[in-house]
Each structure stands twice: as structure tokens, then as C-alpha cells.
């Protein structure tokens, strides 16, 4: 069975600081990788996704993630965070087989202070 | 356009009561997923429909949980004889297609509290 680990449970940063959130997955086959974000009081929404090709993926709002197959990792990065990035971030994986059910990590709560 | 909607948004049930949670997916979306999110955890897969067919129910935690999507659009998740451990947010997501290349759009969730 596949699993996803997010080691940072709660991260506090000042505005303009750089962000890197860790995500490691466990699965023996080919995977698709996602980062979802949940802003306070809002739905889960897709931030970015990786299926194939360039392992550096760019998403919305200046976020990017790098897929490192040898490390089973898909870390999320942003060079300079804003107060509005305060949210919960979830890494998720599906296999490339049939039904695309998502396996999520436990999430990282990001708090950006002014 | 309209996104995925869920009702009710909040539900308080006494232990032993039955509850029904509704999901209205985005119009035309073939695939529909239910997830359960316990406090402090990520969402966990419960079940999946393609149109009206329930193709995967491997995540349903017990036979007290039942889901249906009779006409291939609206779906209902029913929990019989609720227990305290059923307290969670229940999320519905829909997708244009079953393949993972199609984004899953999530609803706001129903927060179920069992007292």
C-alpha cells in the first residue's frame, strides 16, 4: 500500500522568508504527485501536480515542487512567502493505474507572520 | 461556475443515530470520491464512483457505512448507528474523468460530530 509522510507538522515563518515543506512517499510503482492547499475556511484546492517529464513543477501563486525519484520525495518550495500563504498544505499521491484515489499525508500547517 | 456542494455543512448526531450526507458534484463530472478527514489528519479515501457504479469501496471502515449514486450525479453517504469514532469531516470530490490526470475538485465537507 502506498503512504505519504509529511514531517513538518507546523511551520511558522516571517513574511519574505523562503519555504520548503517536505513530502516523502512510499510506493513501488509509478506515481502521480500532488500538493493541495486549504486556506482557512475554504475548500481543498490543487496547488500543483506532477505526472511525468520535467521533475521541477511550477504551480499557482509562485509555488514549485521538485520530484526526486531516487529519494521518493516531492518537496514544496516558495522563495518568498506572503501572509496570505497561511494555510494547511497536503501532499498526495496516486498510482498510475486505474481509479485515481488520492493518498494524503497528514498535512503541514503553515503560519506566516507579518 | 458552481463547484462541488455538500449538505449539511455541520451535523451533530447522538451515538446510535443514522445520518445521511449529501454531495452534489460538478455537472458532467463522471468520477466521484468520498474521503474522511479526522482531526489533525489528512483525508482518507472511503469510496469511489464512476457514474452510478461504485467501483471501489475498499476504504469504508465498516458495514455501517454505505454510499450510493443512483443516477450518476448526486451521491449520498450514509452512516448507520453512528459511533464517536465516526466524528470527522467528510469530503466529497468530483473529477471529469477517472484518470488521475484529471483534477479532483473538493467540496467544503460535512463536519460530523457524534455525541
Amino acid at each position: 500500500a502506498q503512504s505519504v509522510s509529511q514531517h513538518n507538522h507546523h511551520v511558522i515563518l516571517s513574511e519574505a522568508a523562503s519555504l520548503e515543506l517536505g513530502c516523502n512517499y512510499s510506493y513501488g510503482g509509478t506515481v502521480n504527485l500532488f500538493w493541495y492547499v486549504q486556506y482557512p475556511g475554504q475548500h481543498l484546492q490543487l496547488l500543483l501536480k506532477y505526472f511525468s517529464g520535467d521533475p521541477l513543477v511550477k504551480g499557482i501563486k509562485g509555488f514549485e515542487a521538485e520530484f526526486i525519484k531516487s529519494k521518493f520525495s516531492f518537496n514544496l518550495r516558495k522563495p518568498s512567502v506572503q501572509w496570505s500563504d497561511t494555510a494547511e498544505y497536503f501532499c498526495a499521491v496516486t498510482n498510475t493505474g486505474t481509479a485515481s484515489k488520492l493518498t494524503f499525508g497528514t498535512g503541514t500547517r503553515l503560519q506566516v507572520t507579518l | 461556475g458552481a463547484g462541488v456542494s455538500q449538505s449539511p455543512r455541520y451535523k451533530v448526531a447522538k451515538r446510535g443515530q443514522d445520518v445521511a450526507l449529501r454531495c452534489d458534484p460538478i455537472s458532467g463530472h463522471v468520477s466521484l470520491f468520498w474521503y474522511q478527514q479526522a482531526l489533525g489528519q489528512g483525508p482518507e479515501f472511503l469510496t469511489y464512483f464512476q457514474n452510478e457504479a461504485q467501483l471501489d469501496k475498499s476504504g469504508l471502515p465498516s458495514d455501517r457505512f454505505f454510499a450510493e449514486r443512483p443516477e450518476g450525479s448526486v451521491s449520498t453517504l450514509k452512516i448507520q448507528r453512528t459511533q464517536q469514532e465516526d466524528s470527522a469531516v467528510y469530503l466529497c470530490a468530483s473529477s471529469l474523468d477517472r484518470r488521475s490526470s484529471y483534477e479532483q475538485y473538493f467540496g467544503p465537507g460535512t463536519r460530523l460530530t457524534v455525541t
Side-chain angles (χ1 to χ4, degrees):
Chain A
Q2 56 202 25
S3 65
V4 178
S5 297
Q6 293 182 246
H7 303 295
N8 314 106
H9 297 294
H10 188 193
V11 173
I12 303 174
L13 293 173
S14 299
E15 253 198 343
S18 64
L19 169 72
E20 181 160 4
L21 301 182
C23 172
N24 289 88
Y25 67 93
S26 170
Y27 183 67
T30 305
V31 295
N32 298 320
L33 295 154
F34 306 81
W35 276 96
Y36 278 83
V37 60
Q38 188 167 27
Y39 297 103
Q42 295 189 26
H43 310 183
L44 267 173
Q45 54 187 284
L46 185 66
L47 200 54
L48 49 78
K49 60 187 178 184
Y50 172 80
F51 293 138
S52 63
D54 189 344
L56 185 61
V57 179
K58 294 192 184 299
I60 59 172
K61 303 187 180 184
F63 285 91
E64 64 179 31
E66 184 175 13
F67 171 52
I68 303 179
K69 189 175 181 179
S70 61
K71 295 184 177 180
F72 296 90
S73 71
F74 190 56
N75 292 355
L76 181 70
R77 300 194 294 246
K78 186 171 184 179
S80 176
V81 295
Q82 299 174 307
W83 180 79
S84 57
D85 293 326
T86 295
E88 187 134 25
Y89 293 81
F90 294 92
C91 182
V93 62
T94 69
N95 63 42
T96 55
T98 53
S100 53
K101 60 185 179 184
L102 292 162
T103 300
F104 286 88
T106 53
T108 296
R109 185 170 154 231
L110 172 66
Q111 186 178 347
V112 180
T113 61
L114 295 171
Chain B
V4 177
S5 61
Q6 293 186 246
S7 61
R9 291 292 311 278
Y10 303 92
K11 177 69 179 178
V12 178
K14 291 187 178 178
R15 193 173 58 180
Q17 282 185 329
D18 297 349
V19 297
L21 312 179
R22 177 186 168 108
C23 172
D24 283 83
I26 294 172
S27 177
H29 277 197
V30 167
S31 298
L32 186 145
F33 303 81
W34 283 99
Y35 295 87
Q36 179 191 57
Q37 186 175 16
L39 191 64
Q41 301 296 315
E44 291 193 1
F45 171 78
L46 292 177
T47 187
Y48 158 70
F49 290 86
Q50 180 161 325
N51 295 308
E52 69 279 2
Q54 189 175 18
L55 298 185
D56 186 346
K57 53 182 181 180
S58 61
L60 295 176
S62 78
D63 59 8
R64 296 186 295 103
F65 286 70
F66 172 76
E68 59 183 7
R69 193 186 185 199
E71 297 178 358
S73 56
V74 171
S75 177
T76 304
L77 177 67
K78 297 178 180 177
I79 309 173
Q80 297 177 325
R81 305 181 303 282
T82 52
Q83 304 293 315
Q84 283 194 313
E85 62 263 28
D86 300 335
S87 295
V89 175
Y90 291 85
L91 297 170
C92 176
S94 72
S95 175
L96 192 58
D97 186 89
R98 65 185 296 177
R99 287 168 289 180
S100 56
S101 53
Y102 288 83
E103 179 178 347
Q104 290 186 31
Y105 293 84
F106 283 82
T110 294
R111 182 178 297 277
L112 173 65
T113 303
V114 181
T115 61

